[in-house]
Amino acid sequence: MKAARLYGVRDLRVEEVADPEPGPGEALIRIHTCGVCPSDLRSYLGARPGSGALSLPRTPGHEWAGVVVALGEPVDDAPADGQAPSIKVGDRVVADWRYVCGRCYQCRRGVFNYCENLRRGVRGGFAEYGIAPLSQLRVIPDHVSFEEASFCEPLACIINAHSYTQISLGDDVVIVGAGPIGLMHLQLARNRGARVIVSDPIATRLEKARELGAHDVIDASAADPVARVNELTEGRGANAVIIAVGAAEAIRQGLAMATINGWVNIFAGTYPPVELPVDPNLIHYRQLRVTGSHDFTPHHFTTALRLIQFGIVRVAPLISHRFELDDVREAFETTAGRHGLKSMVLPTP
Ligand SMILES: [Zn+2]
Ligand SMILES: [Zn+2]
């Protein structure tokens, strides 16, 4: 089969490799779609020290969906969320790459996203075929496309973040950054009954934010976003701020935008690592709740598919570019250049 293989910084090649074989309890899947994720990009650009430590060459891609074409020997492996393991050849499926053990200290206290025995059982999606343990697959409802299902992974991360960010009916919520991630945060905040303000320096992204339900947008290239949030909230600031860009200045602004008892979620990793001078009095005297969030649990992944299934979060409008597998490098460069929104690679066009 054909597969993309990462050899080093910006060195991603499409090559012929041996067809994968499903082991016991695994499925072989013909991959239809795989989204390019900011975390794929970090390994591609060599931006995250340590991520290059994973052995090279390797096939990246974890936001993938396709059709089951073969099954390995059956094993007794009940899925973590109780879904019956009734995967059959011909099923349309989406793969949850975070294969957690369910037995370690973190899993037993419900913090599955920090499983101490995370297994790498789901293999790279920028390829014609992929392998995944049956417990990691969810059947895609008929009217949900492969492309839409590929958003389960990033949307699951967003659902996790919202469990650490309290949003009440009528709250003023600011989303800093209107990339694909910010635009999903926007829709979730709207669904929770908030008045949503989106800040970004790119005009086309702000247009998309309006289209997806933002009540107000701030052009961060023209206005001071903190002053503008104050104007839009009668000088109070926002009840919740979600920072969906990995930049020190965005975090500084996010903290300054929050009102008394406000929540500030630092959603994105910041690369290269930076130091941020913060006046602790800002947090102390305003009783701010500053949270981090990272990755997701199996239940968040299942929930993400439901939000897509019922149109609670619309993901199709976030796709700006489509590429064949042979052009995967162009897909990465497009995302690296922040052109458009989500780049989708289609190994089976
Ligand atoms: Zn991702
Ligand atoms: Zn575990």
Side-chain angles (χ1 to χ4, degrees), residues 141-164:
D142 286 343
H143 67 279
V144 174
S145 70
F146 291 117
E147 287 185 342
E148 290 170 311
S150 282
F151 282 90
C152 281
E153 194 267 351
L155 183 52
C157 296
I158 287 161
I159 296 166
N160 178 53
H162 279 245
S163 64
Y164 296 100

Side-chain angles (χ1 to χ4, degrees), residues 35-40 62-63 97 150 153-154 157 181 295-296 342:
V36 179
C37 175
S39 66
D40 294 326
H62 57 268
E63 300 181 358
W97 73 269
S150 282
E153 194 267 351
C157 296
I181 293 289
D295 272 332
F296 57 91
K342 191 74 168 180

